[in-house]
Coordinates of all heavy atoms in Angstrom, one line a residue:
M1 N 0.8 -1.2 0.0 CA 0.0 0.0 0.0 C 0.9 1.3 0.0 O 0.5 2.2 0.6 CB -0.9 0.0 1.2 CG -1.6 -1.2 1.5 SD -3.1 -1.5 0.6 CE -3.7 -2.9 1.5
R2 N 2.0 1.2 -0.6 CA 2.8 2.3 -0.7 C 2.8 2.9 -2.1 O 2.4 2.2 -3.1 CB 4.3 2.0 -0.3 CG 4.3 1.6 1.2 CD 5.8 1.3 1.5 NE 5.8 0.9 2.9 CZ 6.7 0.2 3.5 NH1 7.7 -0.3 2.7 NH2 6.7 0.0 4.7
G3 N 3.3 4.0 -2.3 CA 3.4 4.6 -3.6 C 2.4 5.7 -3.8 O 1.7 6.1 -3.0
Q4 N 2.4 6.1 -5.1 CA 1.5 7.3 -5.4 C 0.1 6.8 -5.6 O -0.2 5.7 -6.2 CB 2.0 7.9 -6.7 CG 1.3 9.2 -7.1 CD 1.9 9.8 -8.3 OE1 2.7 9.1 -9.0 NE2 1.7 11.1 -8.5
K5 N -0.9 7.5 -5.1 CA -2.3 7.2 -5.3 C -2.7 7.5 -6.7 O -2.2 8.4 -7.3 CB -3.1 8.0 -4.2 CG -2.7 7.6 -2.8 CD -3.7 8.1 -1.8 CE -3.2 7.9 -0.4 NZ -3.8 6.9 0.3
H6 N -3.7 6.8 -7.1 CA -4.2 7.0 -8.5 C -5.5 7.9 -8.6 O -5.8 8.3 -9.7 CB -4.6 5.6 -9.1 CG -3.4 4.7 -9.1 ND1 -2.5 4.8 -10.1 CD2 -3.0 3.7 -8.4 CE1 -1.6 3.9 -10.0 NE2 -1.9 3.1 -8.9
G7 N -6.1 8.2 -7.5 CA -7.4 8.9 -7.6 C -7.2 10.4 -7.7 O -6.1 10.9 -7.8
P8 N -8.2 11.2 -7.7 CA -9.6 10.7 -7.6 C -10.1 10.2 -8.9 O -9.6 10.6 -10.0 CB -10.4 11.9 -7.1 CG -9.7 13.1 -7.7 CD -8.2 12.6 -7.6
S9 N -11.1 9.3 -8.9 CA -11.8 8.9 -10.1 C -13.2 9.4 -10.2 O -13.8 9.6 -9.1 CB -11.9 7.3 -10.1 OG -10.6 6.8 -10.1
Y10 N -13.7 9.7 -11.3 CA -15.0 10.3 -11.5 C -15.9 9.4 -12.2 O -15.5 8.8 -13.3 CB -14.9 11.7 -12.2 CG -14.0 12.6 -11.5 CD1 -12.7 12.9 -11.9 CD2 -14.4 13.3 -10.3 CE1 -11.9 13.8 -11.3 CE2 -13.5 14.1 -9.6 CZ -12.3 14.4 -10.2 OH -11.4 15.2 -9.5
Y11 N -17.2 9.2 -11.7 CA -18.1 8.4 -12.4 C -19.4 9.1 -12.5 O -19.8 9.9 -11.6 CB -18.4 7.1 -11.6 CG -17.2 6.2 -11.7 CD1 -16.1 6.3 -10.8 CD2 -17.1 5.2 -12.6 CE1 -15.0 5.5 -10.8 CE2 -16.0 4.3 -12.7 CZ -15.0 4.5 -11.8 OH -13.9 3.6 -11.9
L12 N -20.1 8.9 -13.5 CA -21.5 9.4 -13.7 C -22.5 8.3 -13.6 O -22.3 7.3 -14.3 CB -21.6 10.1 -15.1 CG -22.9 10.6 -15.6 CD1 -23.4 11.8 -14.7 CD2 -22.9 11.0 -17.0
T13 N -23.4 8.4 -12.8 CA -24.4 7.4 -12.6 C -25.7 7.8 -13.4 O -26.2 8.9 -13.2 CB -24.8 7.2 -11.1 OG1 -23.6 6.8 -10.4 CG2 -25.8 6.1 -11.0
V14 N -26.1 6.9 -14.3 CA -27.2 7.2 -15.2 C -28.3 6.2 -14.7 O -28.1 5.0 -14.6 CB -26.9 6.9 -16.7 CG1 -28.1 7.2 -17.5 CG2 -25.7 7.8 -17.1
S15 N -29.5 6.8 -14.4 CA -30.7 6.0 -14.0 C -31.6 5.7 -15.2 O -31.9 6.7 -15.9 CB -31.4 6.7 -12.8 OG -30.5 6.9 -11.8
Y16 N -32.1 4.5 -15.3 CA -33.0 4.1 -16.3 C -34.3 3.7 -15.7 O -34.5 3.6 -14.5 CB -32.4 2.9 -17.1 CG -31.2 3.2 -17.9 CD1 -29.9 2.8 -17.3 CD2 -31.2 3.9 -19.1 CE1 -28.8 3.1 -18.0 CE2 -30.0 4.2 -19.8 CZ -28.8 3.8 -19.2 OH -27.6 4.1 -19.9
A17 N -35.3 3.4 -16.5 CA -36.6 2.9 -16.0 C -36.5 1.6 -15.2 O -35.4 0.9 -15.4 CB -37.5 2.7 -17.2
K18 N -37.4 1.3 -14.5 CA -37.5 0.1 -13.7 C -36.4 0.0 -12.7 O -35.9 -1.1 -12.3 CB -37.5 -1.1 -14.6 CG -38.7 -1.2 -15.5 CD -38.7 -2.4 -16.3 CE -39.9 -2.3 -17.3 NZ -40.0 -3.5 -18.2
G19 N -35.8 1.1 -12.2 CA -34.8 1.1 -11.1 C -33.4 0.7 -11.6 O -32.5 0.5 -10.7
R20 N -33.2 0.5 -12.9 CA -31.8 0.2 -13.3 C -31.0 1.4 -13.3 O -31.4 2.5 -13.6 CB -31.9 -0.5 -14.7 CG -32.6 -1.8 -14.7 CD -32.7 -2.4 -16.1 NE -33.2 -1.5 -17.1 CZ -32.6 -1.2 -18.3 NH1 -31.6 -1.8 -18.7 NH2 -33.2 -0.3 -19.1
S21 N -29.7 1.2 -13.2 CA -28.7 2.3 -13.2 C -27.4 1.8 -13.8 O -27.1 0.6 -13.8 CB -28.5 3.0 -11.9 OG -28.0 2.1 -11.0
R22 N -26.6 2.7 -14.2 CA -25.3 2.4 -14.8 C -24.3 3.4 -14.4 O -24.6 4.6 -14.5 CB -25.4 2.3 -16.3 CG -24.2 2.0 -17.0 CD -24.4 1.9 -18.5 NE -23.1 1.7 -19.2 CZ -22.9 1.8 -20.5 NH1 -23.9 2.2 -21.3 NH2 -21.7 1.6 -21.0
Q23 N -23.1 3.0 -14.1 CA -22.0 4.0 -13.8 C -21.1 4.0 -14.9 O -20.7 3.0 -15.5 CB -21.3 3.6 -12.5 CG -22.0 3.9 -11.2 CD -21.1 3.7 -10.0 OE1 -20.1 3.0 -10.1 NE2 -21.5 4.3 -8.9
I24 N -20.7 5.2 -15.3 CA -19.8 5.4 -16.5 C -18.6 6.2 -16.0 O -18.8 7.3 -15.3 CB -20.6 6.2 -17.6 CG1 -21.8 5.5 -18.0 CG2 -19.6 6.5 -18.7 CD1 -22.8 6.3 -18.9
Y25 N -17.5 5.7 -16.3 CA -16.2 6.4 -15.9 C -16.1 7.7 -16.7 O -16.3 7.7 -17.9 CB -15.0 5.5 -16.1 CG -13.7 6.2 -15.9 CD1 -13.3 6.5 -14.7 CD2 -12.9 6.5 -17.0 CE1 -12.1 7.2 -14.5 CE2 -11.7 7.2 -16.8 CZ -11.3 7.5 -15.6 OH -10.1 8.2 -15.4
V26 N -15.7 8.7 -16.0 CA -15.5 10.1 -16.7 C -14.0 10.4 -16.5 O -13.6 10.7 -15.3 CB -16.4 11.1 -16.1 CG1 -16.1 12.5 -16.8 CG2 -17.9 10.8 -16.3
P27 N -13.3 10.5 -17.5 CA -11.8 10.9 -17.4 C -11.7 12.3 -16.8 O -12.7 13.1 -17.0 CB -11.3 10.9 -18.8 CG -12.2 10.0 -19.6 CD -13.6 10.1 -18.9
K28 N -10.7 12.6 -16.0 CA -10.5 13.8 -15.4 C -10.7 15.0 -16.3 O -11.3 16.0 -16.0 CB -9.2 13.9 -14.7 CG -8.9 15.1 -13.8 CD -7.6 15.0 -13.1 CE -7.4 16.2 -12.2 NZ -6.1 16.2 -11.5
Y29 N -10.2 14.9 -17.5 CA -10.2 16.0 -18.5 C -11.6 16.3 -19.0 O -11.9 17.4 -19.5 CB -9.2 15.8 -19.6 CG -9.6 14.8 -20.7 CD1 -10.3 15.2 -21.8 CD2 -9.4 13.4 -20.5 CE1 -10.7 14.2 -22.8 CE2 -9.7 12.5 -21.4 CZ -10.4 12.9 -22.5 OH -10.8 12.0 -23.5
L30 N -12.5 15.3 -18.9 CA -13.9 15.5 -19.3 C -14.9 15.9 -18.2 O -16.1 16.1 -18.4 CB -14.4 14.2 -20.0 CG -13.9 13.9 -21.4 CD1 -14.4 12.6 -21.9 CD2 -14.2 15.1 -22.4
R31 N -14.4 15.9 -17.0 CA -15.2 16.3 -15.8 C -16.0 17.6 -16.0 O -17.2 17.6 -15.8 CB -14.4 16.2 -14.5 CG -15.3 16.5 -13.3 CD -14.5 16.5 -12.0 NE -15.4 16.9 -10.9 CZ -15.0 17.2 -9.8 NH1 -13.7 17.2 -9.5 NH2 -15.8 17.6 -8.8
P32 N -15.3 18.7 -16.5 CA -16.1 19.9 -16.6 C -17.2 19.8 -17.6 O -18.3 20.4 -17.5 CB -15.0 20.9 -17.1 CG -13.7 20.4 -16.6 CD -13.9 18.9 -16.7
V33 N -17.0 19.1 -18.7 CA -18.0 18.9 -19.7 C -19.1 18.1 -19.2 O -20.3 18.4 -19.3 CB -17.4 18.2 -21.0 CG1 -18.5 17.9 -22.0 CG2 -16.3 19.0 -21.6
A34 N -18.8 17.0 -18.5 CA -19.9 16.1 -17.9 C -20.7 17.0 -16.9 O -21.9 16.9 -16.8 CB -19.3 14.9 -17.2
E35 N -20.0 17.8 -16.0 CA -20.8 18.6 -15.1 C -21.7 19.6 -15.8 O -22.8 19.8 -15.3 CB -19.8 19.3 -14.2 CG -19.1 18.5 -13.2 CD -18.1 19.2 -12.4 OE1 -17.6 20.3 -12.7 OE2 -17.7 18.6 -11.3
Q36 N -21.3 20.2 -16.9 CA -22.1 21.1 -17.6 C -23.3 20.4 -18.2 O -24.4 20.8 -18.2 CB -21.3 21.7 -18.8 CG -22.1 22.7 -19.6 CD -22.6 23.9 -18.8 OE1 -21.8 24.6 -18.1 NE2 -23.9 24.2 -18.9
W37 N -23.1 19.2 -18.8 CA -24.2 18.4 -19.3 C -25.2 18.0 -18.3 O -26.4 18.0 -18.5 CB -23.7 17.2 -20.1 CG -23.0 17.6 -21.4 CD1 -22.9 18.8 -22.0 CD2 -22.2 16.7 -22.2 NE1 -22.1 18.8 -23.1 CE2 -21.7 17.5 -23.2 CE3 -21.9 15.3 -22.1 CZ2 -20.9 16.9 -24.3 CZ3 -21.1 14.8 -23.1 CH2 -20.6 15.6 -24.2
V38 N -24.7 17.6 -17.1 CA -25.6 17.3 -16.0 C -26.4 18.5 -15.6 O -27.6 18.5 -15.3 CB -24.9 16.7 -14.8 CG1 -25.8 16.6 -13.6 CG2 -24.3 15.3 -15.2
G39 N -25.8 19.7 -15.6 CA -26.5 20.9 -15.2 C -27.5 21.3 -16.3 O -28.7 21.7 -15.9
N40 N -27.2 21.0 -17.5 CA -28.2 21.2 -18.6 C -29.4 20.3 -18.5 O -30.5 20.8 -18.6 CB -27.6 21.0 -20.0 CG -26.5 22.0 -20.4 OD1 -26.4 23.1 -19.7 ND2 -25.7 21.7 -21.4
Y41 N -29.2 19.1 -18.1 CA -30.2 18.1 -17.9 C -31.2 18.6 -16.8 O -32.4 18.6 -16.9 CB -29.6 16.7 -17.5 CG -30.6 15.7 -17.1 CD1 -31.4 15.1 -18.0 CD2 -30.7 15.4 -15.7 CE1 -32.3 14.1 -17.6 CE2 -31.6 14.5 -15.3 CZ -32.5 13.8 -16.2 OH -33.4 12.9 -15.8
H42 N -30.5 19.0 -15.6 CA -31.4 19.5 -14.5 C -32.2 20.7 -14.9 O -33.3 20.9 -14.5 CB -30.5 19.7 -13.3 CG -30.0 18.5 -12.6 ND1 -30.9 17.6 -12.0 CD2 -28.8 17.9 -12.5 CE1 -30.2 16.6 -11.5 NE2 -28.9 16.7 -11.9
Q43 N -31.6 21.6 -15.7 CA -32.3 22.8 -16.1 C -33.4 22.5 -17.0 O -34.5 23.0 -16.9 CB -31.3 23.7 -16.8 CG -31.9 25.1 -17.2 CD -30.9 26.0 -17.9 OE1 -29.8 25.6 -18.3 NE2 -31.3 27.2 -18.2
A44 N -33.2 21.5 -17.9 CA -34.3 21.1 -18.8 C -35.5 20.5 -18.0 O -36.6 20.7 -18.3 CB -33.8 20.1 -19.8
L45 N -35.2 19.7 -17.0 CA -36.2 19.1 -16.1 C -37.0 20.2 -15.4 O -38.2 20.1 -15.3 CB -35.6 18.1 -15.1 CG -35.2 16.7 -15.6 CD1 -34.6 15.9 -14.4 CD2 -36.4 16.0 -16.2
T46 N -36.3 21.2 -14.9 CA -37.0 22.3 -14.3 C -38.0 23.0 -15.2 O -39.1 23.3 -14.9 CB -35.9 23.3 -13.7 OG1 -35.1 22.6 -12.8 CG2 -36.6 24.5 -13.0
V47 N -37.5 23.2 -16.4 CA -38.4 23.9 -17.4 C -39.6 23.0 -17.7 O -40.7 23.5 -17.8 CB -37.6 24.3 -18.7 CG1 -38.5 24.7 -19.8 CG2 -36.5 25.3 -18.3
L48 N -39.3 21.7 -17.9 CA -40.5 20.8 -18.2 C -41.5 20.8 -17.1 O -42.7 20.7 -17.3 CB -39.9 19.4 -18.6 CG -39.3 19.3 -19.9 CD1 -38.6 17.9 -20.0 CD2 -40.3 19.5 -21.0
E49 N -41.0 20.8 -15.8 CA -41.9 20.8 -14.7 C -42.7 22.1 -14.7 O -43.9 22.1 -14.4 CB -41.2 20.7 -13.4 CG -40.6 19.3 -13.2 CD -39.8 19.1 -11.9 OE1 -39.7 20.1 -11.1 OE2 -39.3 18.1 -11.7
E50 N -42.1 23.2 -15.0 CA -42.8 24.5 -15.1 C -43.9 24.5 -16.2 O -45.0 24.9 -15.9 CB -41.9 25.7 -15.3 CG -41.0 26.0 -14.1 CD -39.9 27.0 -14.5 OE1 -40.0 27.7 -15.5 OE2 -39.0 27.2 -13.6
I51 N -43.6 23.9 -17.3 CA -44.5 23.8 -18.4 C -45.7 22.9 -18.1 O -46.8 23.2 -18.3 CB -43.8 23.3 -19.7 CG1 -42.9 24.4 -20.2 CG2 -44.8 22.9 -20.8 CD1 -42.0 23.9 -21.3
S52 N -45.4 21.8 -17.4 CA -46.4 20.9 -16.9 C -47.4 21.6 -16.0 O -48.6 21.4 -16.0 CB -45.8 19.7 -16.3 OG -45.2 18.9 -17.3
G53 N -46.8 22.4 -15.1 CA -47.7 23.1 -14.1 C -48.6 24.1 -14.8 O -49.7 24.3 -14.4
I54 N -48.0 24.8 -15.8 CA -48.8 25.8 -16.5 C -49.9 25.1 -17.3 O -51.1 25.5 -17.3 CB -47.9 26.6 -17.5 CG1 -47.0 27.5 -16.7 CG2 -48.8 27.4 -18.5 CD1 -45.9 28.2 -17.5
N55 N -49.6 23.9 -17.9 CA -50.6 23.2 -18.6 C -51.7 22.7 -17.7 O -52.9 22.7 -18.1 CB -50.0 22.0 -19.4 CG -49.2 22.5 -20.6 OD1 -49.4 23.6 -21.1 ND2 -48.2 21.6 -21.0
L56 N -51.3 22.3 -16.5 CA -52.3 21.8 -15.5 C -53.3 23.0 -15.2 O -54.5 22.8 -15.1 CB -51.7 21.2 -14.3 CG -52.6 20.7 -13.2 CD1 -53.5 19.6 -13.7 CD2 -51.8 20.3 -12.0
E57 N -52.7 24.2 -14.9 CA -53.5 25.3 -14.6 C -54.5 25.7 -15.8 O -55.7 26.0 -15.5 CB -52.6 26.5 -14.3 CG -51.9 26.4 -12.9 CD -51.0 27.6 -12.7 OE1 -51.4 28.7 -13.2 OE2 -50.0 27.5 -12.1
L58 N -54.0 25.6 -17.0 CA -54.8 25.9 -18.1 C -56.0 24.9 -18.3 O -57.1 25.3 -18.6 CB -54.0 25.9 -19.4 CG -53.0 27.1 -19.6 CD1 -52.1 26.8 -20.8 CD2 -53.7 28.4 -19.7
I59 N -55.7 23.7 -18.0 CA -56.8 22.6 -18.1 C -57.8 22.9 -17.0 O -59.0 22.8 -17.3 CB -56.2 21.2 -18.0 CG1 -55.4 20.8 -19.2 CG2 -57.2 20.2 -17.7 CD1 -54.6 19.6 -19.2
Q60 N -57.4 23.2 -15.8 CA -58.3 23.5 -14.7 C -59.1 24.7 -15.0 O -60.3 24.8 -14.7 CB -57.5 23.6 -13.4 CG -57.0 22.3 -12.9 CD -56.1 22.4 -11.7 OE1 -55.5 23.5 -11.5 NE2 -55.9 21.3 -11.0
L61 N -58.5 25.7 -15.6 CA -59.3 26.9 -16.0 C -60.4 26.7 -17.0 O -61.5 27.2 -17.0 CB -58.3 28.1 -16.5 CG -57.5 28.7 -15.4 CD1 -56.5 29.7 -16.1 CD2 -58.4 29.5 -14.5
K62 N -60.0 25.8 -18.0 CA -61.0 25.5 -19.1 C -62.1 24.7 -18.5 O -63.3 24.8 -18.9 CB -60.3 24.7 -20.2 CG -59.5 25.5 -21.1 CD -59.5 24.8 -22.5 CE -58.8 25.7 -23.5 NZ -59.8 26.5 -24.2
K63 N -61.9 23.8 -17.5 CA -62.9 23.0 -16.9 C -63.9 23.9 -16.1 O -65.0 23.6 -16.0 CB -62.3 21.9 -16.0 CG -61.7 20.7 -16.7 CD -61.0 19.7 -15.9 CE -61.6 19.4 -14.6 NZ -60.9 18.4 -13.8
A64 N -63.3 24.9 -15.5 CA -64.1 25.8 -14.7 C -64.9 26.9 -15.5 O -65.8 27.4 -15.1 CB -63.3 26.6 -13.7
S65 N -64.5 27.0 -16.8 CA -65.1 28.0 -17.6 C -66.4 27.5 -18.2 O -66.5 26.4 -18.7 CB -64.1 28.4 -18.8 OG -64.7 29.2 -19.7
P66 N -67.5 28.3 -18.1 CA -68.8 27.9 -18.6 C -68.8 27.9 -20.2 O -69.7 27.3 -20.8 CB -69.8 28.9 -18.1 CG -68.9 30.1 -17.7 CD -67.6 29.6 -17.4
D67 N -67.8 28.6 -20.8 CA -67.8 28.6 -22.3 C -67.4 27.3 -22.9 O -67.6 27.1 -24.1 CB -66.8 29.7 -22.7 CG -67.1 31.1 -22.1 OD1 -68.1 31.2 -21.5 OD2 -66.2 32.0 -22.3
S68 N -66.7 26.4 -22.2 CA -66.2 25.2 -22.8 C -67.3 24.2 -23.2 O -68.2 24.0 -22.7 CB -65.2 24.5 -21.9 OG -64.6 25.3 -20.9

């Protein structure tokens, strides 16, 4: 257990349907790119949740409107 350490190592965990997941090794030089892509993914999810909320409100307004 002597000598130079090899870490740190970076892994990206990807989750699939039915509870499956996969870990993917990310080389140190690609870490900034992977972090940016994960950030983009989270931002897209946030926007989709906002759109879904707006659509739900619109549906509820149409149901309450006597014009429909």
Side-chain angles (χ1 to χ4, degrees):
M1 314 277 188
R2 295 183 178 155
Q4 190 175 15
K5 298 192 188 252
H6 297 283
S9 297
Y10 303 103
Y11 289 86
L12 175 67
T13 302
V14 180
S15 299
Y16 297 100
K18 299 181 183 177
R20 295 182 306 134
S21 64
R22 178 178 175 195
Q23 284 191 337
I24 301 165
Y25 172 72
V26 178
K28 186 176 181 177
Y29 74 94
L30 286 179
R31 183 179 175 194
V33 175
E35 288 176 343
Q36 179 65 48
W37 290 351
V38 169
N40 291 347
Y41 170 78
H42 287 291
Q43 184 178 8
L45 281 181
T46 299
V47 170
L48 287 173
E49 287 177 6
E50 290 175 11
I51 291 170
S52 294
I54 291 168
N55 287 338
L56 179 61
E57 287 179 33
L58 290 173
I59 288 171
Q60 290 172 339
L61 286 173
K62 280 209 176 271
K63 284 173 43 178
S65 170
D67 302 353
S68 334

